[in-house]
Amino acid sequence: MAKTSLQILIVDDNPEDRDLYKRLLLSLNGKYEYRFLEAELGEDGLAVCRAEYPDCILLDYYLPDLDGLEFLTALEGENGILSAPTIMLTGSGSETLVAEAMRAGAVDYIPKSRLSRNSLERAVANAIDKHRLQVAIEKHRLDLEQTNQELRRRNEEIQNFYHILSHELKTPLTAIREFVSIVLDGLAGPVSAEQRDYLQIAKDSCNQITLGLNDLLDATRLETGKLHISLCPVSITQVVSEAVAVMLPATQAKEIRLQQVIALALPDVWIDARRISQVLANLLSNALKFTPKGGEIEVKVSHEPQRPAWIRVSVSDTGRGIEPERCEYVFDRLYQVRSDDVAIEGGLGLGLYICQEIVRLHGGEIWVDSTPDIGSTFSFTVPTHSTDAPPTDERKGLLA
Amino acid sequence: MKQKILIVEDDKNIVKALTIRLKAKGYEVAVAQDAVMAASVAMKQPPDLVLLDISLPGGNGFVVAERLQNAVLTAGVRMIFLTASKQPGLREKAMAFGAVDFFEKPYEAEDLLAAIHIALAAPLGSLPPMGSQEQSL
């Protein structure tokens, strides 16, 4: 088998020492074939490194112009991790020197007093293997970094595309919805009751498309960390009452009783009211979707037990409930309810994921308690104080 | 005398829909379909209120807003932005440009007409800054 050829740079001001290292390495009949480069001074050694790229450097600690540490620092400054592996040699070995040399980037250290054929070749072989591994790791790291950057760039592109898509779809959608509304409102002549029903269906469908497009944009912004909230002190009673009032006509149409139970004298909460309204609207419309005619939906606001600085908001329904094994997945992005249930419309599978992320941006938690065929309760917490605190883990344990 | 509203919007169908709504409420309507026309139409016959789309050929709604606010004839004109874009920060930007309200498309006509009515009922300069009652996204 052909021997691997190695180029060794010896930086030592003592010519006898240089000859000794060469003799020791050449006297072995190992797996390497050696070629030597020599320098008496540190600066000369650095110049050789720039021109020749040695595979390994044997470095005397005490040089006339630089000491070993200065040499290593200069070498690493020029080449970083890719600089040749260096083995430090010195006449007066001390623990401090070893530590300093290794910190400065030397891969090994041999006191000249313990120099032997075997110790030198082992050190050179180890240094080279270690260096190759380091270079390979570094290359992988750079590859990963590049891949990561590329993925980020593509993510940006996708996000921009979604924005354009949303804009381009919403413009004609606005026209459709508005002309349907204009006819519905009687501005184009009398409308029969039957026509009114049909037009209302068309208008509601437009609203569904709008919600879907907005969810799509929110989800991409959440993934790229670009959805920001701005917290202000707000009355949670007001936020909940408004969300309930908006939902009331739809629940009445389905003969569902919608009621709110709000604890007295609640403090203000620090929330992004628009975003928490979005969470409530989402939970309420889910409750409406899954609750049969004649059922009940209750929105409850109370102090969070054991946690005085938090308020809990719950939306309970008497719907079909969620099987225990599915509860942990309902907040997953793109999670869909069972597709074999034809009675339930699909949806993008983004709603609860967005709710979860919005609540987490507030530092709160969201979870579900559910019994199949009895109903579900979705609850989340919001802070009564301005906080940058990260979400706590206690509730995650229940979800996991 | 009828109050005049200038619609600055490049989508013909939305212009048509807005015109039907506004005329039904008794407003006089002028239309500009790009940023350049917007300024010249507004200078010829200064409107009482401008409905401004943001994405426009030949500029954007903010450029138009700035031009109107800087011209003597149209300075202080009431402006309501109307956009299909969900880019973050647009609402705040509209406010900074002196808008009295901001609507996303698809808009609820009833809410838009109510906002126009309120804006026109208030004497110029007396309107509360937009966003004082609304949280930004």
Side-chain angles (χ1 to χ4, degrees):
Chain A
M1 205 178 90
K3 289 189 176 187
T4 311
S5 169
L6 289 183
Q7 191 159 239
I8 309 287
L9 166 64
I10 302 171
V11 189
D12 197 319
D13 57 323
N14 185 336
E16 286 167 17
D17 282 355
R18 295 205 299 271
D19 279 343
L20 173 69
Y21 310 149
K22 283 196 279 186
R23 271 205 319 278
L24 287 173
L25 285 173
L26 289 172
S27 66
L28 280 157
N29 194 17
K31 56 177 177 171
Y32 297 120
E33 191 174 78
Y34 298 100
R35 288 196 300 123
F36 297 99
L37 302 161
E38 295 179 47
E40 280 184 38
L41 299 174
E43 290 294 354
D44 294 346
L46 289 170
V48 172
C49 287
R50 278 177 219 125
E52 300 282 346
Y53 303 104
D55 296 298
C56 183
I57 303 171
L58 299 179
L59 176 69
D60 182 22
Y61 189 88
Y62 297 108
L63 295 167
D65 57 341
L66 303 171
D67 72 24
L69 293 183
E70 287 165 340
F71 180 93
L72 283 168
T73 310
L75 187 67
E76 196 171 310
E78 284 179 24
N79 302 303
I81 187 115
L82 297 174
S83 47
T86 303
I87 298 164
M88 193 79 88
L89 297 148
T90 180
S92 60
S94 82
E95 290 303 314
T96 345
L97 269 187
V98 173
E100 277 181 22
M102 301 301 272
R103 253 202 305 277
V107 290
D108 209 346
Y109 175 90
I110 312 177
K112 283 185 180 178
S113 54
R114 289 194 216 146
L115 206 54
S116 70
R117 283 195 303 200
N118 288 333
S119 71
L120 189 59
E121 180 165 83
R122 203 168 48 237
V124 169
N126 285 346
I128 286 168
D129 286 348
K130 190 172 165 189
H131 180 68
R132 283 191 182 145
L133 281 175
Q134 273 175 341
V135 170
I137 290 168
E138 177 65 7
K139 194 176 166 301
H140 278 296
R141 198 188 62 78
L142 288 173
D143 284 351
L144 283 175
E145 205 173 87
Q146 212 174 357
T147 310
N148 206 4
Q149 260 175 16
E150 175 68 6
L151 287 174
R152 269 175 215 277
R153 196 185 56 76
R154 286 194 199 170
N155 223 338
E156 292 266 309
E157 251 176 37
I158 291 170
Q159 208 191 351
N160 282 339
F161 172 72
Y162 282 163
H163 269 288
I164 293 165
L165 177 80
S166 157
H167 185 272
E168 291 310 300
L169 292 179
K170 274 185 184 173
T171 302
L173 181 65
T174 302
I176 298 170
R177 190 184 180 282
E178 239 332 75
F179 280 105
V180 167
S181 300
I182 283 168
V183 178
L184 191 58
D185 292 350
L187 289 175
V191 189
S192 73
E194 192 180 2
Q195 286 168 340
R196 188 181 306 279
D197 283 350
Y198 298 163
L199 290 169
Q200 190 59 50
I201 292 170
K203 192 175 165 182
D204 290 346
S205 302
C206 288
N207 293 347
Q208 265 179 31
I209 299 175
T210 309
L211 288 176
L213 288 171
N214 289 345
D215 278 358
L216 191 67
L217 290 183
D218 280 349
T220 37
R221 277 161 67 189
L222 281 165
E223 277 156 44
T224 47
K226 285 189 176 164
L227 195 144
H228 302 294
I229 54 166
S230 56
L231 303 177
C232 285
V234 180
S235 153
I236 188 70
T237 306
Q238 193 183 335
V239 173
V240 169
S241 301
E242 279 169 14
V244 167
V246 169
M247 198 52 71
L248 205 55
T251 51
Q252 280 167 347
K254 212 175 157 184
E255 290 170 30
I256 288 171
R257 203 158 74 94
L258 172 62
Q259 57 173 348
Q260 58 184 50
V261 181
I262 299 179
L264 291 172
L266 288 170
D268 277 356
V269 285
W270 280 77
I271 57 170
D272 188 321
R274 195 182 287 264
R275 287 294 179 186
I276 292 298
S277 299
Q278 183 184 354
V279 173
L280 274 165
N282 213 305
L283 296 182
L284 280 167
S285 67
N286 273 352
L288 177 66
K289 188 154 115 181
F290 294 106
T291 303
K293 198 171 166 179
E296 277 181 36
I297 299 173
E298 183 186 272
V299 186
K300 196 175 163 194
V301 188
S302 58
H303 284 281
E304 172 73 349
Q306 321 295 328
R307 298 180 69 198
W310 295 80
I311 299 289
R312 182 195 289 198
V313 182
S314 302
V315 178
S316 305
D317 62 53
T318 56
R320 50 180 232 166
I322 305 164
E323 296 79 359
E325 66 272 19
R326 288 174 194 268
C327 281
E328 61 178 297
Y329 301 117
V330 295
F331 297 102
D332 287 358
R333 192 173 144 269
L334 304 182
Y335 176 82
Q336 301 267 1
V337 287
R338 270 201 326 248
S339 54
D340 53 346
D341 191 339
V342 287
I344 304 299
E345 330 150 35
L348 290 174
L350 293 172
L352 285 176
Y353 163 73
I354 293 169
C355 289
Q356 170 185 262
E357 295 307 306
I358 289 174
V359 170
R360 283 186 178 168
L361 283 172
H362 285 79
E365 294 144 24
I366 187 166
W367 69 98
V368 60
D369 299 300
S370 188
T371 312
D373 302 323
I374 301 291
S376 303
T377 299
F378 282 85
S379 308
F380 63 93
T381 54
V382 283
T384 58
H385 53 286
S386 170
T387 173
D388 299 319
T392 57
D393 285 334
E394 50 189 86
R395 186 63 60 182
K396 279 187 204 155
L398 289 179
L399 285 174
Chain B
M1 206 180 86
K2 281 183 175 180
Q3 284 171 308
K4 185 192 277 179
I5 296 176
L6 170 60
I7 302 170
V8 184
E9 165 69 60
D10 61 327
D11 186 276
K12 286 186 182 133
N13 293 326
I14 294 177
V15 167
K16 192 170 177 182
L18 285 169
T19 305
I20 292 168
R21 290 282 188 192
L22 294 172
K23 284 195 168 161
K25 286 282 174 191
Y27 297 114
E28 195 183 324
V29 175
V31 175
Q33 293 193 337
D34 63 54
V36 182
M37 282 300 290
S40 69
V41 172
M43 300 304 161
K44 264 182 222 153
Q45 283 185 307
D48 297 290
L49 185 144
V50 186
L51 280 181
L52 256 180
D53 186 13
I54 290 180
S55 155
L56 286 170
N60 63 48
F62 297 117
V63 173
V64 175
E66 195 165 30
R67 235 178 261 168
L68 296 183
Q69 297 300 344
N70 286 339
V72 179
L73 278 174
T74 50
V77 67
R78 304 161 178 97
M79 300 181 298
I80 294 179
F81 278 86
L82 195 56
T83 181
S85 173
K86 273 289 227 181
Q87 292 286 358
L90 289 180
R91 186 180 289 268
E92 293 76 3
K93 196 167 173 189
M95 185 170 72
F97 275 82
V100 294
D101 218 328
F102 181 97
F103 281 81
E104 278 176 10
K105 293 174 189 166
Y107 53 89
E108 190 60 65
E110 200 183 321
D111 297 343
L112 179 63
L113 290 169
I116 292 171
H117 180 77
I118 292 167
L120 286 173
L124 270 185
S126 71
L127 290 163
M130 185 199 109
S132 57
Q133 68 283 63
E134 285 183 290
Q135 264 304 297
S136 60
L137 279 182

